[in-house]
Amino acid sequence: MITPIIYEEGLVRLLDQRKLPLEEVYIECRDHYQVAQAIRDMVVRGAPAIGITAALGVCLGANTIPASNFNDFFSQLNPVIELLANTRPTAVNLFWALERLKEVVLQNKGLELHSLKQLLVQEALKIMEEEKSANEAIGRWGKELIKEGDQILTYCNTGSLATGGIGTALGIIKTALWEGKRIMVWVSETRPFLQGARLTTWELRQCNIPHRLITDNMAGHLMQKGEVSMVMVGADRIAANGDVANKIGTYTLAVLAKEHKIPFYVAAPTSTIDSTIPSGHQIPIEERAPQEITYIMDRRIAPEKTEVTNPAFDITPHQYIQAIITEKGIIRPPFSFIL
Ligand code: MRU
């Protein structure tokens, strides 16, 4: 089992996903500053994993607060939460997890601060366990959509590395294979951070799941030749109307899939649903450093001073989505996640 996030007393250990698949090394975070930096730098990534890590970051931050009464503690905890909230803007799991920890504090004002800090750790670990169970339920629901012989195109990394459990889209694929279904996975490399080429191939190899790596621009050609029978992706935030923010390039795949009458599925836990926003237009899209595009593995590939645009996510409008698979079941259009 791949374990991307480990909590030990006063310490968060993160499998450094920037180094995979060449090196399997963990970094150690001892305070919330280090956790925030690790999320920003994509040591850990994937919506559910970001949420879990941020929750543990709050626990490390809480331990550094010397306050002796609740009001002092709470006013010093707020900047800790704010620092973690300002790491990455798109995946809603981050804000959802931080909100849960804040709520625990507010609901337990009367407790001794020592006990309150312990309660925060319990809540963060509970979030981690809940995400694991959600993955398994998503796998159970989603496997029914997969037929013998399917050739499934997936994008980015939605597996253990991104969730701490078996994964969302990848969890469905794993569950179908464990049930004995014969399937093949097309892994799109996912420029610029290469989550597909570096991480998804690494996970699928460990699970002995047949797969082939392609560059992102090959998807249309394979669909045209009838070699893709479904697209299965994850999500970073789902709006009330079912619009989905996911890794940049997801929208392109959705449009291609529609053109070729190939079902396009999104798998995500309900912690990824943001029912406070009506549509994808309100989802903030993270812009990342130009170097992610102008360099590959520390080697410059574009002339110096080349101007770059690097949005990390895009929005797939709900009309392109056949179904959203959550731990609660398979949801089909019209989508309406109560506002
Ligand atoms: O920038 P990343 O690697 O954090 O983006 C991850 C994705 O877009 C995933 O598809 C999404 O978080 C779902 S992971 C279960």
Side-chain angles (χ1 to χ4, degrees):
M1 181 68 185
I2 300 158
T3 317
I5 308 158
I6 300 170
Y7 179 76
E8 290 162 12
E9 195 79 7
L11 180 72
V12 177
R13 284 156 52 77
L14 298 170
L15 180 57
D16 192 342
Q17 300 191 28
R18 300 167 304 179
K19 302 240 163 74
L20 288 172
L22 304 181
E23 283 177 63
E24 281 175 48
V25 287
Y26 282 82
I27 69 150
E28 292 187 351
C29 301
R30 293 183 181 275
D31 59 33
H32 55 290
Y33 297 106
Q34 290 175 332
V35 170
Q37 197 59 43
I39 295 173
R40 223 177 275 122
D41 292 348
M42 314 244 298
V43 170
V44 61
R45 30 70 44 207
I50 291 171
I52 296 163
T53 308
L56 291 169
V58 173
C59 302
L60 298 190
N63 282 340
T64 65
I65 297 174
S68 57
N69 65 63
F70 179 83
N71 286 343
D72 285 354
F73 174 72
F74 190 56
S75 65
Q76 290 177 61
L77 190 67
N78 273 323
V80 169
I81 293 177
E82 208 157 305
L83 178 85
L84 290 160
N86 282 328
T87 49
R88 299 194 68 193
T90 305
V92 77
N93 306 60
L94 170 69
F95 309 101
W96 170 87
L98 293 174
E99 205 45 53
R100 259 180 73 160
L101 288 222
K102 197 170 185 172
E103 206 45 43
V104 164
V105 175
L106 291 172
Q107 294 300 322
N108 292 281
K109 284 183 184 174
L111 275 188
E112 294 241 345
L113 291 181
H114 173 71
S115 309
L116 190 51
K117 289 175 187 176
Q118 282 182 341
L119 213 56
L120 283 176
V121 174
Q122 277 173 29
E123 186 70 9
L125 296 177
K126 192 166 161 222
I127 291 175
M128 177 140 66
E129 286 314 309
E130 283 174 11
E131 291 293 0
K132 283 184 191 166
S133 321
N135 282 185
E136 276 155 31
I138 289 170
R140 283 194 297 275
W141 289 109
K143 72 173 197 289
E144 302 302 335
L145 299 168
I146 295 181
K147 300 181 305 299
E148 180 70 14
D150 264 340
Q151 295 186 291
I152 308 165
L153 175 62
T154 193
Y155 201 59
C156 195
N157 171 267
T158 61
S160 303
L161 292 167
T163 64
I166 58 170
T168 55
L170 226 51
I172 293 174
I173 290 169
K174 290 177 188 174
T175 310
L177 186 110
W178 292 332
E179 287 261 309
K181 284 184 184 157
R182 191 179 43 86
I183 50 179
M184 209 289 287
V185 183
W186 293 111
V187 181
S188 198
E189 66 174 349
T190 320
R191 275 280 283 154
F193 203 71
L194 301 173
Q195 289 94 331
R198 297 187 304 103
L199 309 177
T200 299
T201 50
W202 184 75
E203 272 202 59
L204 290 175
R205 177 163 283 275
Q206 296 200 8
C207 298
N208 286 319
I209 298 180
H211 60 279
R212 274 194 206 170
L213 177 64
I214 57 168
T215 61
D216 299 329
N217 49 2
M218 294 173 186
H221 171 70
L222 291 171
M223 288 184 187
Q224 200 176 44
K225 289 206 319 172
E227 294 189 32
V228 177
S229 54
M230 76 165 63
V231 181
M232 181 76 80
V233 300
D236 289 85
R237 195 187 292 224
I238 302 174
N241 69 346
D243 290 354
V244 165
N246 192 49
K247 182 51 55 196
I248 187 78
T250 303
Y251 171 51
T252 315
L253 289 179
V255 173
L256 278 171
K258 190 165 193 159
E259 171 69 21
H260 294 92
K261 301 188 172 46
I262 295 167
F264 183 93
Y265 297 116
V266 173
T270 48
S271 54
T272 302
I273 298 172
D274 183 355
S275 55
T276 68
I277 50 164
S279 78
H281 294 296
Q282 290 83 32
I283 301 178
I285 300 291
E286 178 182 9
E287 178 77 26
R288 291 192 60 86
Q291 290 79 1
E292 286 184 356
I293 291 184
T294 53
Y295 284 74
I296 293 183
M297 307 297 266
D298 295 329
R299 204 184 163 95
R300 188 155 52 80
I301 56 155
E304 262 181 281
K305 298 193 178 129
T306 300
E307 300 225 356
V308 166
T309 300
N310 185 15
F313 300 95
D314 61 24
I315 306 294
T316 299
H318 58 91
Q319 302 92 307
Y320 291 89
I321 301 167
Q322 254 66 49
I324 297 176
I325 305 119
T326 74
E327 73 276 21
K328 302 209 167 131
I330 299 177
I331 302 160
R332 294 188 183 271
F335 303 113
S336 172
F337 301 105
I338 302 125
L339 278 172

